[in-house]
Every structure is written in C-alpha cells, then in structure tokens.
C-alpha cells in the first residue's frame, strides 16, 4: 500500500516544483493573500475535494480542503502556511518574486506545494484512507495584526482555530523547510520544538515642544530610549539565568524635526522563551517599566501584545513522525533533535489544542556550501527535497490510520 502511493508522489516531482515556483513568483504578506488563497482553493477543487474558503473568525482568509473517506476513522489536520515576507529578493532566477519588496523568504511557497502534492496523492488513493483529512492553508504565520473584531493581536493560526477548525480533529501535523539540516533529512524534537515568540508594541505619549524650552515639554523620545535601557537591564538581572530568554527591540519611531521635542514615540520588539510562566513574567516587566517611565517623565503610555505559546510536540505525534519518516525516506534520514529553536511558530496553537507534531525538512547543502538562512534576501529552497516533504505528509496519514 505504502509503496504505490509513495511512488506516485515521486511522479509528481515536476508538478510540485511548478507549484512552488508559481507561489514564489507572487508572495503576499500576512492576511493579505487573495491571490494565493484563490490558487490554493482552485487546485483543491480540481482534486474534487470539499473546499472551504474565507475561513477565520477575524480576517477570514484561510482555506481548507476536506478529504472525507466515508469510512470511520480519525480526523487529521495537515497544515501549510501561505504568507510571504516584506523582504526584497536578491536572487536572480526565472521565478524571482514579481512583487518588489516581498518574497517567500521562509519557504512557505514550498510548504504549500508539498501539501498540495500530498493532497493529490491521498485523493488519488482515497480508497486507502479512513476518516477525514483536512488540508489547512493558513495565512499570517509570520506575525500578528490587530483584529478588526476585538482589537487583539491575531495570527493566522488563532484566526482559524477560533472559528472551530480543530473542534472535531484528533491529530495535527506540519512541516517546515530548515537550512540547518542536510537536504532531505527530517528533524523532530521530543517535547519542546520552538519558543513562545511574543510581540509587543509600546507607545509613549508626551508633549511636543521646542528645544529652547525643554521644561515646557515632555520628551517621548527620551521615554522610549530610557525604556530600552531599563528593560534590557531588567531582563539581565530579574530573570533566572538558567531560564532561556531572548528579548530584542526591532523598531523605534519618534519625532519629525531636528529641533523639536517629540510628543509621541512607539517601539516594538519580540521576546522568546520556552514556558508560559516566562511569557507572563516578561510581560509584567514590560508593562511595569513602561508605567514607571511614563509616570517619572509626566507622560503616559499604551501597549499592545501578542503573547506567544511554546511549540511542544506530543509523544504520539513524535512516534508517528519517526515511523512515517523511516518508511517514506529511510531511517538514516531521520534525526531526533535535542535543542529547541528560539524561532516562533503559531502551529504551537494547534498542538496546544490537540495532539500532533511539527517537523523540520532539511534543505542544507550537504557539500558544505553556504545555505542562506530563513528570512534572508537570498534564501532559496533545494527543490530536490520537495517530494520528500510530500512523502512524509502522506505517510503521516498512513501511520495515523494504523494507530486509530
């Protein structure tokens, strides 16, 4: 059974590459994915699947294809992300991004192509499937934006989960291309796989003034710079040094004239930890320091947070991944990873709700030549591994059937 469907995936190599290149040519950021989601939905419809579009409670840009075998069994969620990044591509290949200032610098185009290839194979061999398979294509994995519904910072995973996408699901799986692993290998963590990546925006409100009369103004730029110093010191001295934590500021905007005191400033950043306890502890530090500085300077502040969730694989998901990987790719290509990544992934919200696992598909050059990291303007995907990813996805379903 397994050999025939895996051999069929091999026959889809050129089609999967073509799909990846089509997505790469037209990257779209966050929830602004009308072209991408339409292409995904059209492909799923051509396979004869039940297709749901505009999925999501807040932004409604997700796509789900449903393969219902009509036979009793588990409901399995397979997820790929759709959004690109606001990065200008520096590679010059025939399928270079046609949208200046945007590119698929995190491999999401490859993720979509691999999942669509797996969907085609599983649909062709649907007589060998029991239960339901949901092919989930999610926007806005890269970040979160303010919800038009309730103002919260929402990522694509939360948007789709809050509409009930996982309510009837039993298992979930996702795959991410990974430059740090040799091409064609699969890495899986037992337990912690990725950090809780929390995003914050802190705005200080002061009072504009002229440089000649600073006593009549409240300097919001000074509040922001004092905040950076105080927060960095607090992170270094108030947290257990044996607890992993990284906090970095990404942006600071203030002022409009060289000789005017800024009345407003806003800064943003992220912090990455491995437990919800640390998420909350740093959240309190960020709020307390902002409140203290605003009071000291005679101004005020406002804040907005997207609190992250650590991605922790479930034992059953890890075991199914190890089994599936050995069958689909060979035991020599499966690696158990011991050190979690401090990058964040909102697939953490999926495994927070139901059992599952998140695996890494190596795209590193085995000859030792440089492979550019994720989010680099010269990032690229080794297309030879795409069928390997589709095979793993297909075999996840096959192994889940054996354990149902």
């Amino acid at each position: 059974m397994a050999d025939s469907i895996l051999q069929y995936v091999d026959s889809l190599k050129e089609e999967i590459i073509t799909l990846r290149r089509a997505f790469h040519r037209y990257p779209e950021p966050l929830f602004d994915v009308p072209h991408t989601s339409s292409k995904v939905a059209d492909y799923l419809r051509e396979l004869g699947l039940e297709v749901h579009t505009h999925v999501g409670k807040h932004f409604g840009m997700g796509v789900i294809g449903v393969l219902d075998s009509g036979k009793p069994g588990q409901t399995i969620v397979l997820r790929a992300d759709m959004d690109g990044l606001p990065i200008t591509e520096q590679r010059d290949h025939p399928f270079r991004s046609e949208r200046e200032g945007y590119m698929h610098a995190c491999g999401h185009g490859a993720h979509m192509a691999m999942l669509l290839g797996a969907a085609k194979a599983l649909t062709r061999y649907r007589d060998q499937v029991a239960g339901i398979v949901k092919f989930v294509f999610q926007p806005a994995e890269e970040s979160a934006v303010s919800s038009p519904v309730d103002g919260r910072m929402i990522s694509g995973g939360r948007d789709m989960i809050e509409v009930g996408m996982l309510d009837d699901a039993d298992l979930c799986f996702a795959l991410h291309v990974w430059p740090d692993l040799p091409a064609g290998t699969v890495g899986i963590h037992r337990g912690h796989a990725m950090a809780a990546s929390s995003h914050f925006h802190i705005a200080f409100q002061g009072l504009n003034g002229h440089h000649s009369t600073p006593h009549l103004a409240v300097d919001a730029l000074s509040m922001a710079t004092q905040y950076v110093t105080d927060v960095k010191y607090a992170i270094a001295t108030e947290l257990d040094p044996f607890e992993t934590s990284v906090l970095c500021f990404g942006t600071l905007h203030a002022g409009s004239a060289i000789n005017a005191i800024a009345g407003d400033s806003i800064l943003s950043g992220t912090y990455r930890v491995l437990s919800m306890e640390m998420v909350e502890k740093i959240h309190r530090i960020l709020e307390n320091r902002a409140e203290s500085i605003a009071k000291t300077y005679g101004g005020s502040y406002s804040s907005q947070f997207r609190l992250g969730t650590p991605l922790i694989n479930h034992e059953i998901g890890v075991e199914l991944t190890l089994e599936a990987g050995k069958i689909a790719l060979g035991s020599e290509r499966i690696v158990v990873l011991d050190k979690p990544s401090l990058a964040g992934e909102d697939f953490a919200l999926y495994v927070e709700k139901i059992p599952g696992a998140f695996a890494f598909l190596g795209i590193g050059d085995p000859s030792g030549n440089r492979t550019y990291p994720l989010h680099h303007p010269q990032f690229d995907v080794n297309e030879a591994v795409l069928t390997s990813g589709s095979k793993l996805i297909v075999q996840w379903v096959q192994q889940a059937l054996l354990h149902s």
Side-chain angles (χ1 to χ4, degrees):
M1 176 176 72
D3 285 347
S4 59
I5 190 170
L6 295 179
Q7 289 167 359
Y8 179 68
V9 173
D10 279 329
S11 75
L12 298 176
K13 178 181 178 180
E14 294 305 318
E15 182 173 345
I16 294 171
I17 290 174
T18 298
L19 284 167
R20 180 256 163 167
R21 293 183 178 186
F23 290 130
H24 190 86
R25 285 191 184 97
Y26 204 84
E28 295 177 301
L30 295 172
F31 290 102
D32 187 20
V33 291
H35 175 85
T36 305
S37 60
S38 176
K39 292 296 183 184
V40 166
D42 287 346
Y43 189 93
L44 294 171
R45 289 191 189 99
E46 289 174 6
L47 297 180
L49 297 177
E50 174 188 331
V51 179
H52 302 267
T53 60
H54 301 290
V55 180
K57 178 180 179 181
H58 302 265
F59 292 90
M61 291 305 296
V63 178
I64 301 176
V66 180
L67 171 59
D68 188 344
S69 70
K71 295 177 284 189
Q74 298 190 93
T75 296
I76 302 168
V77 167
L78 305 170
R79 177 275 221 166
D81 30 22
M82 295 191 290
D83 52 323
L85 284 159
I87 294 173
T88 299
E89 185 168 14
Q90 292 180 359
R91 281 188 178 270
D92 187 20
H93 43 52
F95 51 92
R96 186 182 187 277
S97 171
E98 296 174 6
R99 301 194 70 207
E100 192 65 26
Y102 296 95
M103 73 172 288
H104 271 297
C106 200
H108 295 189
H111 301 166
M112 288 185 281
M114 290 187 291
L115 185 54
L116 289 174
K120 185 166 186 174
L122 287 165
T123 301
R124 181 183 176 93
Y125 288 84
R126 65 190 306 156
D127 60 315
Q128 298 176 6
V129 176
I132 296 172
V133 182
K134 290 185 178 183
F135 304 97
V136 173
F137 295 83
Q138 176 206 306
E141 185 282 318
E142 290 293 352
S143 189
V145 296
S146 182
S147 164
V149 176
D150 56 23
R152 287 182 297 146
M153 296 290 284
I154 297 293
S155 69
R158 189 172 297 283
D159 190 29
M160 296 183 75
I161 288 169
E162 289 191 357
V163 83
M165 177 189 67
L166 297 179
D167 290 355
D168 60 348
D170 300 294
L171 286 167
C172 61
F173 297 97
L175 186 65
H176 202 298
V177 293
W178 207 244
D180 296 337
L181 291 173
T185 59
V186 170
I188 185 74
H189 295 83
R190 294 189 182 275
H192 280 84
M194 301 187 84
S197 176
S198 298
H199 299 195
F200 60 88
H201 300 263
I202 305 292
F204 289 101
Q205 296 82 43
L207 184 64
N208 293 95
H210 194 276
H211 280 187
S212 65
T213 54
H215 59 294
L216 300 179
V218 176
D219 192 341
L221 175 54
S222 291
M223 284 193 277
T225 56
Q226 183 69 50
Y227 183 72
V228 171
T229 302
D230 285 7
V231 166
K232 285 288 191 177
Y233 183 77
I235 297 299
T237 60
E238 295 183 22
L239 301 179
D240 183 343
F242 289 100
E243 290 276 4
T244 301
S245 63
V246 175
L247 183 146
C248 294
F249 290 91
T251 66
L252 169 58
H253 300 284
S256 58
I258 194 172
N259 58 350
I261 293 171
D264 297 280
S265 64
I266 184 167
L267 43 75
S268 67
T270 73
Y271 63 93
R272 296 147 194 277
V273 296
L274 296 176
S275 71
M276 290 308 298
E277 180 183 2
M278 288 291 285
V279 169
E280 293 297 338
K281 187 174 290 188
I282 295 178
H283 181 202
R284 288 194 297 272
I285 288 174
L286 290 168
E287 290 279 17
N288 291 341
R289 291 301 181 280
E291 182 179 13
S292 175
I293 288 169
K295 183 177 181 180
T296 298
Y297 277 77
S300 61
Y301 88 98
S302 59
S303 63
Q304 192 172 35
F305 285 83
R306 192 285 295 269
L307 299 181
T309 302
L311 200 167
I312 304 174
N313 288 332
H314 293 253
E315 182 178 353
I316 181 61
V318 174
E319 293 307 318
L320 290 172
T321 300
L322 293 174
E323 294 172 9
K326 289 174 183 177
I327 293 171
L329 308 176
S331 58
E332 73 282 359
R333 292 186 173 274
I334 311 306
V335 182
V336 176
L337 304 171
D338 58 358
K339 186 184 294 185
S341 168
L342 287 181
E345 238 290 349
D346 77 349
F347 190 72
L349 301 172
Y350 292 65
V351 292
E352 183 183 39
K353 294 285 186 183
I354 63 173
F358 188 84
F360 298 93
L361 177 64
I363 58 171
D365 189 327
S367 66
N369 293 327
R370 182 179 185 188
T371 302
Y372 287 95
L374 303 175
H375 294 208
H376 191 281
Q378 292 196 56
F379 171 80
D380 200 6
V381 172
N382 182 338
E383 294 178 330
V385 310
L386 297 182
T387 51
S388 296
S390 293
K391 284 180 177 181
L392 178 65
I393 295 169
V394 164
Q395 200 60 38
W396 265 330
V397 176
Q398 300 287 323
Q399 296 309 115
L401 286 176
L402 296 178
H403 287 261
S404 60

